[in-house]
Amino acid sequence: MELTGTVYITGHKNPDLDSICGALGYAALKSRLDKTNTYEPVRCGHLSESTKRILNALGIIPPKYMKDVFPKVKDVCLTTDTRIEADAPLTELAKTFSDENPSVTPIYENGQFFGLLSVDDISTWFMSKLKKNGAGLKVPKIKDLMRTQEEPLQMTDFFEEAKLSLSRSKKRGLAVFDGEDFAGFVTRRCFLKAPRYNVILVDHNEPAQSINGIETANLLEIIDHHRLDPIKTDMPIFIDSEPLGSTCTIIYRNFIRSRLKPDKYTAKILLTGIMSDTLVLTSPTTTPIDIESAEALAKICEVDAYEFGKTMYSYVERLAAQDLTAAVLSDFKKYREHGVKFGIGQCEVTTLEDMDEYKEKLLSVMSDVKERKGVDWAVVMVTDVMTQRSVLFMTEHPAIKHLQYRGMEPGIMDMPGVVSRKKQLLPEIIHALGV
Ligand SMILES: [Mn+2]
């Protein structure tokens, strides 16, 4: 059973600007191409302070947070217009059960939900009375028929857990509440087949980086620029994976391929994603296609691409004024090579001149990060996007002496020209670990 009508588009956990803008931009394209479904951009993680600031300053509304795509009780919950009051004559109940043949029906008292009454409850009552009294049976009140109620479910309860609760309860149905309010009910039929959310992944393809419950979803498409290690699918799906600098570049090219021009707002969103993932078109991951796409988008926005990128970074608060732990953890990736578990964070800044203000604190923050993330070695590159120079702050590790960078102070190294974690720093670290 597919949940028809809505397709969720999500980037990865710890969403960066490419993931956020990719989800927004691709939803805008899909909405124009397909009018029969609703494409809803979402994010499966919280925004970092810097991302929030940039989006806010640019007037881009972030997608709403979605915790997971596990099927829920709300996806199968039933409602009925039939309202039977507990003090109604039994004939009304008889009419409902003979006309509509429900397996359960909600009973109300003074307009408030009172309990669920099932066809089993009714027959059980009559059978036991008939056994005792035979022909001398008195007509019961609705309340007399009602047996002990089970704990109601919540709309947000997981489908699989609710299914278990119902099968353990031996009841035909369970009431469903939305917080304090009665919302409907579920019967055994509701649980014959688990519903599946429709999902499109942008800027990632590995299930471990994806929204929780992705393995239970109906994966429709992947739009990405990372190494491929995707989840198994039941059906063939559309994958657009290209080794470009930004997912937003790939999305822009899909606009072109569909002969559509992004509107100004969407162009700004895509340009933001490209400028951020390519560090204003300077990262070694940048391709001529990224530059060409950024310039075309800048033209729609009536701005200069490079100026736009630099202004965008100027909205980020100075690192010295930020919560350093949060800044490191907002973009921290874990690796394991040569038997060593290590993690690399990256923070983008617009100057390294104020480094003295935070260097000692950042080194101690890295020790905390090392403990919290359970790694043997924690490093963070602070990258100046204006001068394409990074400074590396690290916890102690024997591999440091094999790094080809100039040491500035214990645990701090200078990396002029190094801006890419993936293409420059990571290979160097792996090399140092292997010496
Ligand atoms: Mn990306």
Side-chain angles (χ1 to χ4, degrees):
M1 184 170 132
E2 313 301 344
L3 288 167
T4 47
T6 302
V7 180
Y8 296 96
I9 305 182
T10 181
H12 51 76
K13 283 179 183 153
N14 286 336
D16 56 9
L17 279 169
D18 197 31
S19 267
I20 292 296
C21 295
L24 291 169
Y26 201 54
L29 174 62
K30 294 297 285 185
S31 304
R32 283 172 69 180
L33 292 172
D34 171 12
K35 303 280 182 205
T36 57
N37 293 298
T38 306
Y39 291 87
E40 196 176 320
V42 295
R43 59 184 167 88
C44 61
H46 299 295
L47 299 171
S48 73
E49 265 327 297
S50 308
T51 302
K52 251 188 246 173
R53 273 175 177 266
I54 292 176
L55 292 175
N56 195 24
L58 292 173
I60 297 172
I61 301 158
K64 72 168 194 229
Y65 175 65
M66 190 170 184
K67 204 170 160 205
D68 62 76
V69 287
F70 287 113
K72 312 278 175 356
V73 166
K74 68 178 158 68
D75 303 316
V76 293
C77 179
L78 303 170
T79 53
T80 173
D81 294 333
T82 311
R83 288 185 72 94
I84 302 172
E85 286 281 332
D87 58 3
L90 206 58
T91 48
E92 196 180 314
L93 191 69
K95 191 175 176 332
T96 300
F97 275 92
S98 64
D99 291 359
E100 298 168 26
N101 198 25
S103 52
V104 298
T105 196
I107 304 295
Y108 295 82
E109 188 175 48
N110 304 321
Q112 294 286 318
F113 173 73
F114 180 71
L116 277 190
L117 180 66
S118 75
V119 75
D120 287 345
D121 298 335
I122 302 170
S123 61
T124 305
W125 189 90
F126 275 97
M127 287 310 155
S128 74
K129 294 291 171 191
L130 281 173
K131 219 166 80 184
K132 278 192 220 147
N133 300 2
L137 187 64
K138 264 179 70 185
V139 175
K141 293 210 165 66
I142 290 179
K143 268 192 181 173
D144 301 333
L145 302 172
M146 297 185 72
R147 292 189 291 173
T148 336
Q149 294 290 311
E150 294 280 329
E151 183 72 17
L153 298 170
Q154 282 288 329
M155 290 284 256
T156 48
D157 285 348
F158 292 132
F159 175 93
E160 292 299 338
E161 285 169 17
K163 185 179 176 176
L164 260 172
S165 308
L166 182 56
S167 66
R168 284 200 192 114
S169 82
K170 299 197 178 74
K171 292 265 186 181
R172 285 228 180 190
L174 293 174
V176 178
F177 275 63
D178 186 359
E180 302 281 288
D181 306 320
F182 172 69
F185 55 90
V186 284
T187 64
R188 288 172 183 265
R189 286 181 70 91
C190 300
F191 295 98
L192 292 179
K193 203 163 184 282
R196 283 148 71 95
Y197 283 75
N198 297 307
V199 178
I200 292 175
L201 304 184
V202 296
D203 198 34
H204 73 296
N205 67 82
E206 299 184 38
Q209 301 168 357
S210 198
I211 189 163
N212 293 334
I214 186 65
E215 63 283 355
T216 66
N218 184 31
L219 182 60
L220 299 180
E221 298 184 26
I222 295 172
I223 312 291
D224 193 19
H225 67 143
H226 293 93
R227 69 164 195 179
L228 281 180
D229 190 9
I231 53 175
K232 211 173 154 228
T233 61
D234 302 337
M235 304 281 266
I237 67 164
F238 177 80
I239 298 186
D240 190 348
S241 170
E242 295 176 66
L244 301 177
S246 157
T247 297
C248 286
T249 303
I250 304 175
I251 294 168
Y252 172 65
R253 281 156 66 76
N254 275 285
F255 267 93
I256 303 301
R257 220 170 281 151
S258 312
R259 297 178 195 286
L260 289 172
K261 184 180 163 187
D263 58 51
K264 216 168 165 176
Y265 180 61
T266 308
K268 179 168 73 177
I269 288 168
L270 294 175
L271 184 58
T272 302
I274 297 176
M275 284 301 161
S276 140
D277 246 27
T278 62
L279 301 177
V280 195
L281 305 173
T282 62
S283 166
T285 55
T286 313
T287 68
I289 295 169
D290 295 301
I291 298 172
E292 196 182 288
S293 305
E295 277 168 356
L297 289 163
K299 204 173 160 199
I300 300 172
C301 302
E302 297 169 58
V303 295
D304 174 81
Y306 290 88
E307 283 307 313
F308 180 90
K310 289 186 173 174
T311 310
M312 185 184 99
Y313 277 109
S314 74
Y315 300 134
V316 178
E317 199 172 18
R318 293 186 322 117
L319 198 53
Q322 289 187 40
D323 173 343
L324 292 177
T325 309
V328 173
L329 291 177
S330 75
D331 183 14
F332 190 79
K333 290 191 173 145
K334 278 167 61 168
Y335 306 88
R336 191 193 180 101
E337 295 285 344
H338 299 292
V340 179
K341 282 192 272 178
F342 61 100
I344 311 177
Q346 186 169 24
C347 299
E348 283 111 32
V349 296
T350 50
T351 178
L352 286 166
E353 271 163 27
D354 60 351
M355 216 175 77
D356 287 347
E357 289 176 47
Y358 57 77
K359 64 182 182 190
E360 269 148 46
K361 195 160 169 230
L362 187 51
L363 282 174
S364 84
V365 157
M366 293 318 289
S367 299
D368 294 345
V369 167
K370 178 187 160 215
E371 295 304 316
R372 271 171 78 159
K373 288 291 175 179
V375 291
D376 307 316
W377 189 19
V379 314
V380 64
M381 59 193 297
V382 177
T383 301
D384 182 352
V385 295
M386 299 298 168
T387 59
Q388 284 90 58
R389 173 182 163 210
S390 297
V391 174
L392 199 56
F393 296 80
M394 303 165 280
T395 57
E396 274 178 58
H397 195 273
I400 292 181
K401 61 177 177 293
H402 300 300
L403 289 173
Q404 305 292 313
Y405 308 122
R406 183 179 69 85
M408 299 167 85
E409 280 175 48
I412 306 179
M413 287 182 136
D414 190 17
M415 307 192 295
V418 176
V419 293
S420 170
R421 169 170 46 196
K422 183 164 65 178
K423 281 210 165 176
Q424 295 172 301
L425 180 58
L426 182 59
E428 178 59 24
I429 285 186
I430 293 171
H431 167 78
L433 287 170
V435 173

